Amino acid sequence: MSASRCGCRDPVPISLVAHQVFCPRRAWLEAAGERTDTAQMEAGRLEHGPVDDVSGSRARRVRGCEVASAELGVVGRCDTVEFDERGAATVVEHKATPVRRRPEITAPMRVQLALQVLSLQEQGVEVAGQAVYFTNHRIRRSVVLGDADFEEARRFVRQTRQTVEAESAPPPLEDDPRCGRCSHIGVCLPDERALEPVRRRIVVADPDTQVLHVTPQGAAARTRGGRVEILHHGEKIGSVPLERVQAVIVHGNVDLSGGLIRELLWRSLPVVWCSSTGRVVGWAVPASSPNGEARLWQHVASAGGRLDLAREFVAAKIANQATLLRRHGEASLTVARLRGLQRTATRVESIAELFGVEGDAGARYFADFPSMLTTQTLSGPDSPAVVDVRRGTRSTPR
Ligand code: SF4
């Protein structure tokens, strides 16, 4: 295992093995430090918080109990270990389920419990049972583990080592429901696979409305009875309900009545005037356009100095840098460091510190920027040449 990648020399964190059970790619990303703080993780942390407080331990109930197995090469922490009068232990894992919302024992939970039990037994503790306490539901479910569970747990430890020792992440799962509830989806980008065109659904803001183009030269448009009417030489040639209009584009010599312009602006619908050949000559937008208000609040925030907003802007910028490198580059270590700086940016105490984090991220990003560029052919009139922009070399093709 790469010590620098997983943060520990050789023992594998039991939590990392649980990630491996869920998805090997997630284990690799987690070991590489690539993760983002999501609302679901924060909800889980809040629910889990009380059991992380070791001061809540009692004589027969130990919280935050560190465990390790030299034989397996794992380390971990049991949320709670309860001891009966004979001194036998019951391991209780606390789980919040902000995504699944069902108190179900999953495969990663079984493996995690099995490794905790094996570690405790190696430390000379007699284990009488194990359970999961679902914090959202306040339900405790006992878990029975057999030989097959312990064997499977050992196998996953070996697989986890192989996963995190690999130079690059395993490929993402394909069309798998796990991705939809995965905390790492934002950094994993499972829909973006190499050699495949990226498919993104284009979703229109309002599928029930359309842009109205008024093109007949000499026409006039007005509003009557909740509709836009188009007249040409006194004859009505078109009529559209105002509810179906998203914007009005006027081409050339077309008159719009004052009543229609006012009605469109009332409804926050823009009007654009173009020449008869389509060149934009001007437009009208409602006074309450969202852009104007946003600018106003930006100036107010800027005048007051808003470290909280600045943190979010810089963290988002670094997140985008990391995402671009993950998509197109060959610098997984840099991506991991950028994710770390992204988290640091959300915690800095001053603007000066934030500038430092932003600069550090920028230097790392641009140092690996060439790995995102591909070889291109430049064909000038005199000397057609191939330029390998990654290496900055240039050669003339034979
Ligand atoms: S998003 Fe899917 S492929 Fe990526 S780490 Fe999560 S489960 Fe694995």
Side-chain angles (χ1 to χ4, degrees):
M1 176 182 309
S2 159
S4 57
R5 186 175 298 141
C6 89
C8 59
R9 177 95 203 123
D10 199 28
V12 178
I14 291 175
S15 58
L16 198 58
V17 184
H19 284 302
Q20 168 81 24
V21 181
F22 184 81
C23 167
R25 184 173 169 87
R26 184 158 110 173
W28 191 95
L29 292 170
E30 178 70 20
E34 281 201 57
R35 71 188 87 100
T36 53
D37 294 326
T38 60
Q40 76 196 53
M41 289 167 76
E42 185 57 25
R45 259 195 300 275
L46 282 175
E47 285 287 334
H48 201 269
V51 289
D52 290 331
D53 180 9
V54 292
S55 67
S57 294
R58 301 285 178 270
R60 288 213 187 153
R61 194 181 63 186
V62 179
R63 283 189 167 165
C65 178
E66 308 283 350
V67 293
S69 163
E71 185 209 329
L72 292 167
V74 296
V75 291
R77 185 180 163 109
C78 303
D79 289 334
T80 305
V81 180
E82 298 169 349
F83 293 94
D84 62 21
E85 55 287 347
R86 292 186 306 107
T90 297
V91 181
V92 185
E93 264 302 292
H94 291 237
K95 295 290 180 195
T97 53
V99 181
R100 285 176 76 86
R101 301 189 184 281
R102 291 197 299 270
E104 289 175 352
I105 307 295
T106 61
M109 291 177 199
R110 297 186 75 85
V111 168
Q112 188 175 10
L113 283 169
L115 292 174
Q116 290 168 342
V117 169
L118 288 171
S119 300
L120 280 169
Q121 287 173 337
E122 191 178 311
Q123 291 170 244
V125 177
E126 181 192 345
V127 179
Q130 46 280 319
V132 173
Y133 178 70
F134 292 93
T135 53
N136 310 72
H137 305 80
R138 305 192 193 291
I139 290 175
R140 175 168 165 152
R141 295 217 189 286
S142 292
V143 181
V144 178
L145 296 176
D147 290 345
D149 292 298
F150 294 117
E151 195 42 52
E152 179 145 276
R154 289 190 177 91
R155 187 168 58 81
F156 274 116
V157 173
R158 291 193 291 274
Q159 287 183 2
T160 307
R161 284 183 192 286
Q162 288 169 359
T163 297
V164 299
E165 280 170 1
E167 275 307 307
S168 54
L173 306 173
E174 286 196 30
D175 297 327
D176 194 290
R178 277 173 284 180
C179 296
R181 54 178 195 270
C182 176
S183 54
H184 289 55
I185 190 169
V187 293
C188 166
L189 308 172
D191 291 337
E192 299 188 2
R193 298 185 189 91
L195 306 177
E196 259 192 37
V198 176
R199 286 177 298 234
R200 291 195 185 90
R201 278 197 311 142
I202 297 174
V203 182
V204 294
D206 184 349
D208 296 327
T209 60
Q210 290 187 340
V211 176
L212 174 64
H213 291 261
V214 189
T215 56
Q217 298 303 294
R222 66 185 187 191
T223 177
R224 283 283 187 284
R227 302 176 76 90
V228 181
E229 289 183 352
I230 315 295
L231 307 168
H232 197 229
H233 300 311
E235 184 188 348
K236 190 161 74 177
I237 58 170
S239 174
V240 186
L242 270 163
E243 279 73 27
R244 302 290 306 278
V245 176
Q246 197 176 90
V248 174
I249 315 286
V250 179
H251 295 262
N253 181 24
V254 174
D255 282 338
L256 259 55
S257 73
L260 176 59
I261 295 173
R262 193 170 56 247
E263 186 64 35
L264 292 169
L265 296 180
W266 264 113
R267 293 169 180 252
S268 295
L269 302 176
V271 185
V272 180
W273 282 270
C274 302
S275 70
S276 56
T277 56
R279 187 168 60 83
V280 174
V281 294
W283 57 84
V285 290
S288 61
S289 113
N291 286 343
E293 199 160 339
R295 297 288 173 279
L296 177 68
W297 285 110
Q298 281 170 9
H299 283 294
V300 170
S302 170
R306 293 283 300 272
L307 179 61
D308 55 338
L309 290 177
R311 283 193 200 112
E312 296 301 321
F313 292 150
V314 172
K317 176 182 169 184
I318 298 173
N320 286 339
Q321 291 172 331
T323 299
L324 273 175
L325 272 180
R326 160 146 306 290
R327 277 181 182 146
H328 308 295
E330 298 169 350
S332 51
L333 270 181
T334 304
V335 175
R337 291 198 179 109
L338 288 176
R339 295 292 179 202
L341 288 168
Q342 177 192 340
R343 287 191 288 278
T344 306
T346 62
R347 295 192 292 262
V348 296
E349 296 293 336
S350 68
I351 292 286
E353 209 182 329
L354 190 59
F355 280 149
V357 173
E358 186 180 18
D360 190 2
R364 291 173 191 278
Y365 172 68
F366 285 107
D368 281 315
F369 193 88
S371 74
M372 295 194 286
L373 303 177
T374 56
T375 304
Q376 293 180 339
T377 302
L378 296 184
S379 52
D382 303 323
S383 59
V386 172
V387 176
D388 186 338
V389 288
R390 293 184 189 208
R391 297 178 181 79
T393 57
R394 179 185 176 95
S395 62
T396 304
R398 292 160 201 250

